[in-house]
Structure formats: C-alpha cells, structure tokens
Amino acid sequence: MAENQTRTNDRFTLIDERDGKRYQRPLLHGTLGPPAIDIRNFYGEAGVLTYDPGFTSTASCKSAITFIDGEEGVLLYRGYPIQELATQSDYMEVCYLLLYGELPSPEEKAEFVNDIKRHTLIHDQLMHFFRGFTRAAHPMAIMVGVVGALSAFYHEDTDIYDPEQRMLAAYRIIAKMPTIGAYAYRYTIGRPFVYPRNDFSYAENLLYMTFSVPSEEYRPDPVLVRALDRILILHADHEQNASTSTVRLAGSSGANPFACISAGIASLWGPAHGGANEAVLKMLMEIGDKRRIPEYIARAKDKNDPFRLMGFGHRVYKNYDPRAAIMRETCYEVLEALGHEDDPLLELAMELEKVALQDEYFIERKLYPNVDFYTGIVLRAMGFPTRMFTVLFAIGRTVGWVAHWKEMISDPESKIGRPRQLYVGAPQRPFVPMEKRPAPGHRTWSRFWGGGEK
Ligand code: ACO
C-alpha cells in the first residue's frame, strides 16, 4: 500500500468522558472516500472496544481494487467507472484488470484469455462429486460442495506465499467456475455433462455448457452472449461485501484458496446478498398481478411483517445502484431481441419500481432498485431457471473474491481476522450439580429460538 496514504499530521481525538483522558489517533486517507480513524491497539491503550455490528462504520482492510461512493452511485474497478467497463470492455478484460490492476495490452489479453481456457476442464475424479448429491439439490449447495472439494485437488502443491502460485490458483478458479456451475445445473436435470470448447468465449462457453444437448449443434445467440458477459462484469467485484469479507476472513488464517472461495459462495447464497436475484423472481411470481402491488407495498412497510421488497435497498448505495441502471437497459435489449417485450413479469416489475419510487417510505429510506431487481428478469428471459441465478452471480464474483484474497495475502499489514465482542451472557457463576437444578418447565425453548434474550 502506498506510504502517502497516511498523513501523520492529521489526527482524530477521542475523549473518555469518565476521566477526561484524550486519545489521539491518526486519520488514514485513501485515494477516494472518507478517512478512517486508525484504532489499531485502541483496546490496549484505552481498555475499551469499539462496537459496530454489521461493520457499517468499520474499514476492515486497505484495498486498491474497487471503490464505491454509495451517496453518489459511483462504482469504480481499479479506478475505471463501471458504466465504461460494461459498455466498452468484456469480462475477460475486467478479470485481468481486477487481478493485475491495469487494463491489458492486446498481447496480454490474448495470452490471458488463452491461459484461462487451458484451465476450464475439471479433474475427472471431481465429476464423481456431483453424483453424491440428490437430483433435487439446489445448484448453490452443489457449488459450495464441489468448489470446496477443489481444495483436495490443489492443496499440497499450492504455496499461498508464492505470488505465482497465487495467480495460478486465481486462473484455475476463474476458469473452472462456469464448468462447475453448468454441471451443477445439468446434474439436477439429468443431462450429461459437456466439455468446454476452446473456440468459445467465456460467456459463450457458459451458455454452451448449460444449454447444449449432445445431439444438436449449439450456436450461442450474440445478444445473449453480450448480456451474460455484461452481467458477469457488473457482478465481478463490490469491495468488502459479505461474501468477499467472508473469503478474506477465511483466507486470513492461511486456509486453502478453493476452500475460501467455497466459504464466499456460502455467504453469497443468502437472500440478503446474492440470493436476492432469485428472491426477486419468486416475489414477482407471487405478486402475479399489478393489482396486487399495493398489498405487497403495504406488507413491505409493515414492521410486524418480515416481508421485504426483494431487489430494493442496499447497504452502501443510498442513491441509485449504478449497476441497476445498466442492467435496466440490458433488460430491454434482451427482451426486445427475444421478442419478450410484453413479458407480463417485466410489466409487473416496472410498475412495482414506479410505485415504490413514489412511495414516502421508500423515498425517506433511500430504497432504490439494486442490480438484482433487473438481473433476475434478464436471466429468466435467457432461459436460466431461477435456481441458477445466484450461481451466475457466484461465477461473475469469483474474480473479485480471488483478487481480494490475493491482495490480502500479499499485504504485510494483514492479520488473522479476529473481531472482539460485547459479551452480554451470564456472568461467572458456580457449576450447579444435577440434583440442585430447577425442574423442567422453568425454561422454555423459545428463549433459544429467537425472541428471547440475545
Ligand atoms: N423492503 C422494505 N423495507 C426495507 C427494505 C426492503 N427491501 N430494505 C430496507 N428496508 C427498510 C428497513 O426495514 C429499515 O427500515 P427502518 O429504518 O424503519 O427500520 C430501513 O429500510 C433500513 O434498512 P436496513 O435493514 O437497516 O438496511 P441495511 O443496509 O442493513 O440492509 C439490505 C440492506 C440487506 C440489502 C436490505 O435493503 C434488504 O434486505 N433488501 C432486500 C434484499 C436485497 O435486495 N438484497 C440484495 C442486495 S444487493 C446485492 O447483494 C447485489
């Protein structure tokens, strides 16, 4: 990390009002974004912890990969605006950019694309792992298992402290994710696996391995290829989101990188994160008709109802999600190319967007549609089943995960991730012998299943 990012004359003072003691801490400045108070070893000095559930005000690391300004709706990969990358670049180039920090020259790009293609096959033995799953398994469950299993194939010979081997691990995982993702789907529908083709691009191969049947020639539709490539670009990285932070935390102990990526996939799966694209589609199908929108808007606003409008709101973007604007455009392009402009689900989505954006509740809380709101509609039009949506997100995000893992391992300041806690449990107490414990009925299980003490 560049030395000049820390201005030593810039300080922030914290005052302990109990005794008036002042603690001066340096302010760290990045290239863009707000400064951060350096509270390393603050506990050792002041004897107090900082409390920040969900890390809403905590910078867990320094990173030079992605910048987000949530207020302004800005997203930059290595300094380049997402809008420019999505319209003028392609996914392979974006992968190179995220991994190496610079856009490739034509020769570098050709070599990179070729090298990735040389790693798309998965070990024949790994094929057997799929067969251990039930055909009804969710493809994300298969992804967590099979990607985790890759660690068994690349463990002894992966020295994570060797930069070349870190890069090799990155190439391997980026190349193999479409193969594993497509097989996870094919397995659940009972279709035979098809091998990747080196004459196809990354997105073409993903479509080919997912949808082709051995008895027919498969030519991917260029409009769909472009749209899928764009979806992969938009999902490639998003700084310290839940799954990326999970990969970093898992990797901070020196764990195998494929196992760390598997941990990231697990984190992505949840509906508050990558699972939202699937949840959006389910929600739209449940609403079913424009006339029922007010009922669902009312439910989203009702604090006693756990229902939330899926695809709305974002932890960081308190303005429009810039990826959503690009995806909205792509959505129309794809539906027009496929002749699905009158898709009732799209009409419903547009009406829902309009109603929510005019509603005081959503305006006040700055709840705008996020990228998942439109991605689900596009992927559905392309023929992907709902259960594959988060898998596609995982494939696109893999480069981000592995770029962050590499950055963390090579950062001399990085340490094993080990947050502290504010303990609110029972104070120390003596062990109670069995015969002296209160009779059952005194406690109820609800205490342990939520709603009880925390
Ligand atoms: N529908 C209804 N109300 C919402 C929604 C929503 N989708 N999102 C937030 N709110 C409300 C909350 O109830 C809260 O209201 P309150 O202040 O009256 O209590 C307020 O807005 C702030 O919400 P938080 O939960 O504090 O916001 P947070 O930043 O923690 O959550 C999140 C962000 C998880 C994305 C949330 O907006 C959400 O659950 N959205 C739906 C799921 C979704 O689309 N996730 C995709 C995220 S993008 C991605 O992963 C690519």
Side-chain angles (χ1 to χ4, degrees), residues 19-61:
D19 58 10
K21 234 177 150 183
R22 296 160 70 86
Y23 298 92
Q24 278 201 335
R25 310 300 301 177
L27 271 184
L28 305 179
H29 293 267
T31 333
L32 298 168
I37 308 166
D38 186 346
I39 53 142
R40 273 177 289 188
N41 301 321
F42 189 62
Y43 171 64
E45 201 184 323
V48 292
L49 299 169
T50 56
Y51 179 62
D52 185 16
F55 310 120
T56 55
S57 298
T58 297
S60 61
C61 60

Side-chain angles (χ1 to χ4, degrees), residues 213-226:
V213 282
S215 47
E216 283 171 23
E217 174 68 8
Y218 183 82
R219 280 277 134 212
D221 180 332
V223 175
L224 303 194
V225 172
R226 182 74 200 127

Side-chain angles (χ1 to χ4, degrees), residues 244-303:
T244 302
S245 298
T246 302
V247 171
R248 277 185 176 260
L249 196 57
S252 73
S253 67
N256 178 287
F258 300 96
C260 298
I261 300 295
S262 168
I265 297 172
S267 168
L268 185 76
W269 192 2
H273 191 8
N277 51 19
E278 183 175 341
V280 168
L281 241 277
K282 283 188 184 150
M283 174 191 75
L284 290 174
M285 290 195 274
E286 189 186 317
I287 298 175
D289 192 294
K290 282 193 218 173
R291 282 169 301 186
R292 297 186 65 199
I293 289 178
E295 178 196 326
Y296 280 83
I297 294 272
R299 281 188 61 193
K301 290 163 32 177
D302 180 356
K303 294 292 165 206

Side-chain angles (χ1 to χ4, degrees), residues 272-273 276 303 308-309 311-312 314-315 361 365 367 370 372:
H273 191 8
K303 294 292 165 206
R308 278 190 168 196
L309 224 47
F312 276 77
H314 196 277
R315 169 58 62 80
Y361 174 96
R365 290 168 180 76
L367 299 170
N370 56 49
D372 290 321

